[in-house]
Amino acid sequence: MLEVESVESGYGSVQILWGVELSVQENEVHVLLGANGAGKSTLLKVLVGLLPCWAGSVHMDKEDVTRLSAPARTKAGLGFTSEVGIFPDLSVEDNLRLSSLVVPAAQRKDAIEAAYSRFAELRGRRRALAGGLSGGQRKLVAIARALVSRPKVLLLDEPSAGLSPRYVSEVVERLAELRGTTTLLVAEQNVSFLEIADTVSVLEGGRVRFSGSKDSFGNDTVLRDAFFGLE
Amino acid sequence: MLFEFAVIGGILLGIYYALFAMGLNVVFGAQRIINLAHGDIVVLGGYAAWELYETAHVSPIIAAVVVLPFAIALGFLVHRYLTPRLTRSSDPETLSLILFFGLSQVIEAAASLIFGPNEHSLPTSALPVSSLHLFGESYPGIWWVAVLVSIPMLAVFLWLLYRTPFGLRVRAVMSSASEAATAGIESRLVSGLFFGIGFGLAAAAGTMGIFIFGGIAPTDGVALTITAFAIIVFGSLGNPVGTVIAALIFGVVTQLAQVYAPSWSNLVPYALVILTMLLRPQGLLGRRQRVA
């Protein structure tokens, strides 16, 4: 569903990504692990079109999206939830309505209703400003917003950022509910997200150090100890 | 009776000030820059009303609508060709002040060359309306005409912003341009149109300003920009509803000052900015965002 080939990019003259390769299959949950500064957010920005791809290519559903603008990629089915993920000055309802504008007009109400059904606690806060919600609720709005646009692939940048452990568990649980129905690429440094992974990649210094199934990652004790101190 | 006159007159003028200042707030919302040429766009609107009346006897009320598309197009072009350099710079805020100060000077110089340095005004016969009589007091006809022009324009603008998909896109871009881009919004196009609307509102306000301010001259732009700036800071930057409320308060305070302390009334905009910064820097309707 998502093929990333030899991608190179960076900021100004500073190169951050060095020939990154990644492959995510349909309805698979792929967790991209890496420490702060490894290049996870940079890679996601390249994938969604917020940063230019200096070399290499990005294909989604066999379509080359490398040169498409960010809005065009969203309309093509590439959903993205940044660390912020919401429009804080808009109400919860407006956040969802905004994302629904990329689906055909006749399907918008259903798309929003589906989001409220999945995240029932948001229904009662639909008139509240998204920026006034708790960190956990804001994260749910961000995920709901991305789902309303009915993406073929959903990229999530650090969904645990700024959350207490209790909320991290809740976000993991909510993402687990999407398994088997949505293609997810989750960029994280929090290993809790391995729980929902089908496949795993590890990014270090802008290069992919590991890519494979969760089981093979689990068996690679050297890698696990070196990067994450997992037992 | 003086008090009632000042309050009612202040409310009438305040409604006009809301239209007058809204354009500056709109440009700020579209690009996060202070358009130091705002007052000069108001002046251009005034000159357009003068030219249309003098050459074709077009009513300034009609002129307010006629100037809209031209000013929107001008704003869109300024946004398209001048602001990209700002967004690429490392210090866009400072650079924007320099850039729009330069634009202000260019407009001022061009207006001087075309219309001359002297003040231009229109005769009251250009707006053949009678005075407004309310609670035993009489108010100049131009005040309620300005209200009649301002209210529909502000209403259409607020409807566009808060009740249409375009407005939703605009508010998203105002909140976060990069987030908006990944929500499928063509941020540059949307903010360019909104930026143009800011210019349009300023020019439309100018067509009435030629009466309200007693005439227009090429050098009026700076003082008008300061007054509009005081209103939007008071109401809170980027908040259109705040601008309306602040403009009403500003109108009343200015009128009270003109009635009871006329020699001090010119200080009202400056005092308003200083007091806002000291007491409520986020403005009347500004709010702090929850962080956890």
Side-chain angles (χ1 to χ4, degrees), chain B residues 43-271:
Chain B
V43 168
L44 283 184
Y47 278 123
W50 182 84
E51 191 69 38
L52 284 168
Y53 181 77
E54 292 293 328
T55 57
H57 276 279
V58 174
S59 161
I61 298 173
I62 306 293
V65 179
V66 171
V67 298
L68 269 175
F70 295 100
I72 290 173
L74 174 67
F76 185 81
L77 291 173
V78 166
H79 179 270
R80 188 168 190 88
Y81 294 107
L82 291 186
T83 64
R85 290 183 182 278
L86 297 179
T87 50
R88 286 198 297 268
S89 96
S90 57
D91 187 6
E93 287 83 10
T94 306
L95 199 60
S96 73
L97 291 178
I98 298 167
L99 179 70
F100 282 89
F101 177 71
L103 181 64
S104 163
Q105 295 305 299
V106 168
I107 294 173
E108 189 178 316
S112 287
L113 281 172
I114 296 168
F115 297 101
N118 297 328
E119 188 172 271
H120 282 56
S121 58
L122 283 173
T124 48
S125 58
L127 275 177
V129 291
S130 56
S131 301
L132 175 69
H133 297 281
L134 218 56
F135 303 113
E137 292 291 338
S138 178
Y139 302 89
I142 177 59
W143 288 12
W144 68 263
V145 171
V147 168
L148 284 185
V149 170
S150 301
I151 286 180
M153 285 200 174
L154 287 170
V156 168
F157 168 72
L158 292 173
W159 169 79
L160 193 71
L161 187 60
Y162 290 106
R163 290 283 180 265
T164 66
F166 171 72
L168 184 56
R169 288 183 175 98
V170 166
R171 286 184 288 132
V173 172
M174 284 167 73
S175 186
S176 167
S178 63
E179 204 73 51
T182 61
I185 298 169
E186 301 287 350
S187 298
R188 276 208 61 75
L189 176 66
V190 169
S191 65
L193 284 170
F194 199 53
F195 196 96
I197 289 171
F199 272 47
L201 293 173
T207 61
M208 293 292 110
I210 193 167
F211 296 101
I212 297 279
F213 305 125
I216 45 154
T219 51
D220 286 350
V222 174
L224 294 176
T225 300
I226 290 171
T227 303
F229 183 65
I231 293 169
I232 69 165
V233 167
F234 183 39
S236 90
L237 286 171
N239 190 323
V241 177
T243 296
V244 174
I245 296 169
L248 290 171
I249 296 172
F250 176 80
V252 172
V253 172
T254 304
Q255 279 305 103
L256 285 171
Q258 279 184 357
V259 166
Y260 293 108
S263 54
W264 291 87
S265 63
N266 285 343
L267 286 181
V268 168
Y270 307 98

Side-chain angles (χ1 to χ4, degrees), chain A residues 71 74-75 82 94 129 132 138, chain B residues 171 179 182 184-185 287 290:
Chain A
T74 306
K75 287 168 190 163
S82 70
D94 280 347
L129 282 182
R138 270 185 266 172
Chain B
R171 286 184 288 132
E179 204 73 51
T182 61
I185 298 169
R287 58 178 175 272
R290 185 171 174 171

Side-chain angles (χ1 to χ4, degrees), chain A residues 101-164:
Chain A
L101 294 177
V102 299
V103 301
Q107 298 171 21
R108 287 174 192 166
K109 270 192 175 170
D110 289 346
I112 294 172
E113 197 48 44
Y116 282 133
S117 299
R118 188 180 285 279
F119 302 100
E121 58 270 62
L122 297 182
R123 197 186 291 277
R125 306 299 309 272
R126 59 202 303 165
R127 304 265 173 248
L129 282 182
L133 302 179
S134 69
Q137 286 176 325
R138 270 185 266 172
K139 210 55 84 172
L140 295 187
V141 173
I143 297 169
R145 196 170 74 69
L147 291 174
V148 164
S149 65
R150 297 189 167 162
K152 293 175 185 168
V153 181
L154 175 54
L155 315 181
L156 298 111
D157 190 10
E158 300 268 5
S160 73
L163 296 184
S164 64

